[in-house]
Amino acid sequence: MGVEPGRVHFSWISSAESTKFVDVVKKVTEAVRAVGPNQKFVKKELKVA
Amino acid sequence: MKYIRIDKAQWAQGLAAAEKAYRLFGPVREGAMLNFAALAPGQAPDLDGLNTRMSARSVVYPQSEILFEYTVDPNDPDGNVLKEAPAPAKPAAAVGIRPCDAYSFLLVRRNFDAPDVKDVYWLRNYEATTFIGLACDHPGSTCFCTSAGCGPYSEQGLDVLLQDAGDAYLAKILTDKGAAFLAAAGWFTEAPADSEGCFSAGKEAAEAKITSTVETDRLAEIPQMALYDANFWEDIAFSCINCGTCTYLCPTCWCFDIQDEVRGKHGIRERNWDSCMFPLFTLHGSGHNPRGQKVQRVRQRFMHKLKYYVDKYGDGIQCVGCGRCIQYCPVNIDIRKVCQLMNRFGQDAACKVA
Amino acid sequence: MIAYTDKIRDIARRLLKDCRVETVIGFRNGSMPMMNEPCFIKNVDDVDHLIWDGNCGINLANYLTNRTDKIAVVAKGCDSRNIVTHIIENKIKREQLVIIGVPCKGMLDKRRIKAMAPGEVTRVVEDGESVRVCGAGFEKTYPRKDMLQANCAVCIHRNPVIYDELVADPVPEQQNVDRYEDVRAIEAMSAEEKWTYFENLLAPCIRCYACRNACPLCYCPTCFVDESTPQWVGKSQNPVDVRTFHFLRAYHCAGRCTDCGSCERACPMGINMRVFTKKLEKEAFEQWGWEAGLSLDQRPPLDTYRPDDPQDFMK
């Protein structure tokens, strides 16, 4: 739908896979940081006129 | 009455001049559809089509309108101060508005400009707008304006009425506001002496083309509760999907919802059109919904337009006969049929819609 | 079409007379060209109001939700698939229904016919394989197959998949149809192009919710856009809210949509919002080989787990 590639990630992580969880979170935050702040689903601050 | 002749060769030039003093609105082609919207600089209104999909209502009463903003940040110099939306710097002009849409503002005004309560936002926009109407020489098959209190050459609610005269528009000046707009556009050419005749001939011809009507003569005399309890509502309401098409396309629907949108310490209050077709419209904070069923909502819409309004103001129905709800209802609920059922209530032995 | 109408009336008359159903849900003549109105018939004397032609595009499964009476319902291919979905999702019981199946030849695209006409369309007559469009000062004849709704043109389930009575012999199903040409065109766009495309697509939306309300799948007691405690979506014309509504609604239809086209048909602003649901329909087909509403015995892919479910998108 036009959301930047790299903003959405899917992973299977078992509750026993703590190191995988850490790895995935690191990778996801890096990838999302590279894409930059999400502008598309956030309203601009509304003002009168 | 004063008439001005506007050569079509001077039309664009005049609008360009008027644009300096006015915010111009008019029919605009958007894809396959004609809509009433703000004109871009230099854009000419499209006056060739039938009526616009959305009515001209939004010129005075936008679908979403911010009323004021505020911040509750104590460090902000404007903290806890309510900042009202400023009035637009320039007045507006609705160019090419159809007489039915112009007339609708007079009906709606009863709600927003009541003796005891004034809606400042609506009134401010309404009073700042000049209505340059275009007479309907080719009304559509679902236009029933002549039986709904106006007509293809109706002057009610207009400041100028234009008639398409081939290579020119004839302009009938109805108010000082209208004269001021024509002056701002630089249109001063006096029209030929027979202009009045052109208008009355055009009026007669256009009215003769209107084939669609509503019956309203008995609506006032039938008791409210009798109509409310009438046996036809279930049949009328069955197909309704409770969308907002009829209410949003209607020039005379006025209901709105007030919303606050807040981000951090900053917020705005806005009002948005609402629709009596939506269950949420009447949902109480308690969870109770007095109009929780579809049949109740459908009945409310028709009773409001064709009975409560009639009783409250004693000046006809809350409908101008533009036919939009008939044209665009996804399931073909037809206000003409409903009006006939209501008007003939108690007369027809069999009350069937079909 | 007249044969269909007569047969529908015969069946309805018989069902009502024999007290097999309390209500028959079908279509009656509309007051506008290319419009018929969904209606209910309870009385044998009113059966002749029922009609059938190429203007019965509204999906009647929408009128069955949570009903408790015994109903006969007129159903073309897509309606029947939505009835199956309704039964699977417990919105109606199979035992309550007598399904009057209509082998469908496609519905007329009223929007396109109006747009092509040189003036206001006042009458449209279907005559076998052609359609005559009339208005003030014009009369044009088109091949019927060129005037079908976009979803009907690519339909491969024209015959009802479930029925108790059939009003005519099944029609041949369309072969070698490319169902997803439009979806592929969008898939080929870059993220930025897609965004712009959808932005323009949704620009005319007035949030009347006709698309949602015409959809048999949208039966939630309270839609997420109507929730007020908490309120998830703003009520204004802000594009963020408009977009959120359309995107989320489409996702709620994933693996359930039968591409009946009611949403587009209902839209007063002419928005082709089927591109959203079609993309999801395509995914359901390609990932799970699933087409919604074909069988009462299969659970939809999104409420079943299979070890071989595709998971290439998982890391």
Side-chain angles (χ1 to χ4, degrees), chain B residues 75-86:
Chain B
N75 301 320
D76 191 305
D78 287 331
N80 296 325
V81 176
L82 186 152
K83 280 192 349 203
E84 223 179 294

Side-chain angles (χ1 to χ4, degrees), chain B residues 141-142 144 212-214 326 334-340, chain C residues 31:
Chain B
S141 66
T142 50
F144 56 94
S212 193
T213 54
V214 286
I326 306 169
D334 191 325
I335 193 170
R336 295 170 299 182
K337 279 204 295 196
V338 179
C339 194
Q340 186 184 71
Chain C
S31 63

Side-chain angles (χ1 to χ4, degrees), chain B residues 32-33 35 50 53-54 63-64 139-142 234-236 238-245 248-249 257 259 261 270 272 278-280 283 294 326-334 336-337 352-354, chain C residues 25 28-32 35-40 42 46 49 58 62-63 67 114-115 120-122 204-210 212-214 225-226 228 231 234-238 241 265-266 268-270:
Chain B
M33 125 185 107
N35 244 339
L50 274 168
R53 187 78 51 104
M54 300 293 284
Q63 184 164 6
S64 297
S141 66
T142 50
E234 204 194 337
D235 192 51
I236 293 168
F238 175 78
S239 64
C240 178
I241 57 172
N242 270 172
C243 71
T245 299
Y248 283 181
L249 266 53
D257 180 29
Q259 293 269 318
E261 289 203 5
E270 63 184 340
N272 303 301
F278 300 156
L280 190 61
L283 182 66
K294 169 165 90 175
I326 306 169
Q327 288 275 350
Y328 296 103
C329 173
V331 294
N332 195 205
I333 293 176
D334 191 325
R336 295 170 299 182
K337 279 204 295 196
K352 286 301 294 179
V353 177
Chain C
I25 295 179
R28 65 182 171 205
N29 241 323
S31 63
M32 296 290 297
M35 288 297 284
N36 289 325
E37 185 186 1
C39 71
F40 67 95
K42 283 182 184 283
D46 297 331
H49 292 311
I58 290 292
N62 199 22
Y63 294 89
R67 285 191 78 114
K114 278 188 190 172
E120 192 190 357
V121 177
T122 50
C205 179
I206 54 170
R207 296 185 77 181
C208 69
Y209 300 134
R212 176 194 72 183
N213 294 12
V225 292
D226 291 337
S228 45
Q231 183 174 314
K235 301 277 182 199
S236 73
Q237 283 297 96
N238 190 305
D241 294 322
R265 189 182 170 87
M269 308 307 278

Side-chain angles (χ1 to χ4, degrees), chain A residues 1-2 10-12 40 43, chain C residues 191 195 241 243 247 311 315:
Chain A
M1 64 176 70
F10 294 89
S11 249
W12 282 117
K40 288 180 170 168
K43 282 187 194 176
Chain C
W195 191 258
D241 294 322
R243 192 186 295 149
F247 285 173
Q311 51 179 336
K315 282 179 199 132

Side-chain angles (χ1 to χ4, degrees), chain A residues 1-6 8-13 20 24 27 38-44 46, chain C residues 190-192 194-195 198 233-236 238 240-241 243-244 247 251 276 305 311 313-315:
Chain A
M1 64 176 70
V3 173
E4 307 91 327
V8 184
H9 299 255
F10 294 89
S11 249
W12 282 117
I13 309 171
K20 184 178 176 191
V24 169
K27 271 186 204 148
N38 185 5
Q39 306 287 352
K40 288 180 170 168
F41 280 92
V42 179
K43 282 187 194 176
K44 292 183 183 63
L46 297 163
Chain C
S190 70
E192 217 36 59
K194 281 181 193 164
W195 191 258
F198 293 136
V233 188
K235 301 277 182 199
S236 73
N238 190 305
V240 173
D241 294 322
R243 192 186 295 149
T244 303
F247 285 173
Y251 273 113
F276 297 125
Y305 170 73
Q311 51 179 336
F313 58 95
M314 295 276 184
K315 282 179 199 132

Side-chain angles (χ1 to χ4, degrees), chain C residues 233-289:
Chain C
V233 188
K235 301 277 182 199
S236 73
Q237 283 297 96
N238 190 305
V240 173
D241 294 322
V242 176
R243 192 186 295 149
T244 303
F245 161 64
H246 282 280
F247 285 173
L248 268 178
R249 190 189 94 78
Y251 273 113
H252 286 179
C253 300
R256 305 166 67 220
C257 175
T258 61
D259 199 25
C260 73
S262 277
C263 47
E264 281 189 6
R265 189 182 170 87
C267 178
M269 308 307 278
I271 299 170
N272 299 326
M273 70 287 283
R274 267 176 59 249
V275 295
F276 297 125
T277 44
K278 266 189 94 182
K279 163 69 177 167
L280 293 159
E281 201 209 337
K282 175 170 179 276
E283 292 295 309
F285 185 66
E286 289 178 352
Q287 302 284 329
W288 294 282

Side-chain angles (χ1 to χ4, degrees), chain C residues 178-194:
Chain C
D178 182 2
R179 285 189 50 72
Y180 301 115
E181 193 186 355
D182 48 351
V183 179
R184 283 198 308 273
I186 298 170
E187 284 170 346
M189 293 178 188
S190 70
E192 217 36 59
E193 286 167 340
K194 281 181 193 164

